[in-house]
Amino acid sequence: MVSEKMQDALNGQMNAELYSAYLYLAMAAYYEDSDLPGFANWMRVQAQEEMTHAMKFYDYLVQRGARVALDTIEKPPFDWESPLDVSERVLEHEKKVTGLINNLVNLAMDEKDHATNNFLQWYVAEQVEEEESVGAVLQKVRLAGNSSSGLLMVDAELANRVFNPPAAQK
Ligand code: FEO
């Protein structure tokens, strides 16, 4: 069993992961509208990954005999200034999520909930990868600057990103 406080916190993080998927789908729509299908593909893949993050919380709650509680998902923004703006917001968002995961780990440690702490370590590692991956894209967008051809090169590269189903994930 997990404590009621931990159950609520895990449900809260599940909601945050669902919001991440929602946010990235909104960003994908912005890129579709901006005729940058590679960037849109990247955001779609990110959204799918966020769904698996949410489902891992869902499944863990079930596994521990806790109650899954779905909540309202916050409305994401509709528009952004530029691809650079979106990329900066993605990194900002991932850093925020890292903070949320760290808070969950702190709670698990406070409660001496070793099983949940162990479960959360997957997310700790995942956030390191997410920040690195998003940071690398942001750097490329920054280098492209106002060059359309530079941006189209990044777009072509991001068109190759594919979603790795959970079984194939590290
Ligand atoms: Fe689920 Fe991108 O953090």
Side-chain angles (χ1 to χ4, degrees), residues 91-104:
L91 183 58
E92 189 178 85
H93 182 70
E94 286 299 335
K95 285 182 176 175
K96 185 178 155 196
V97 172
T98 298
L100 295 175
I101 296 293
N102 288 343
N103 289 343
L104 276 177

Side-chain angles (χ1 to χ4, degrees), residues 17 24 50 53 94 97 127 130:
E17 301 289 347
Y24 294 159
E50 299 302 344
H53 296 175
E94 286 299 335
V97 172
Q127 284 310 120
E130 293 263 275

Side-chain angles (χ1 to χ4, degrees), residues 13-14 17-18 20-22 44-60 119 122-123 126 130 163-170:
Q13 188 59 33
M14 179 178 67
E17 301 289 347
L18 290 170
S20 296
Y22 224 38
R44 282 171 184 253
V45 168
Q46 290 295 114
Q48 283 179 291
E49 286 187 5
E50 299 302 344
M51 284 302 298
T52 69
H53 296 175
M55 287 311 296
K56 277 176 86 78
F57 280 105
Y58 188 112
D59 291 338
Y60 181 71
F119 165 73
W122 183 88
Y123 289 89
E126 177 70 8
E130 293 263 275
F163 171 61
N164 291 317
Q169 284 180 347
K170 279 181 266 178

Side-chain angles (χ1 to χ4, degrees), residues 98-115:
T98 298
L100 295 175
I101 296 293
N102 288 343
N103 289 343
L104 276 177
V105 172
N106 291 341
L107 178 61
M109 289 172 81
D110 286 347
E111 296 198 351
K112 298 185 171 51
D113 183 344
H114 299 289

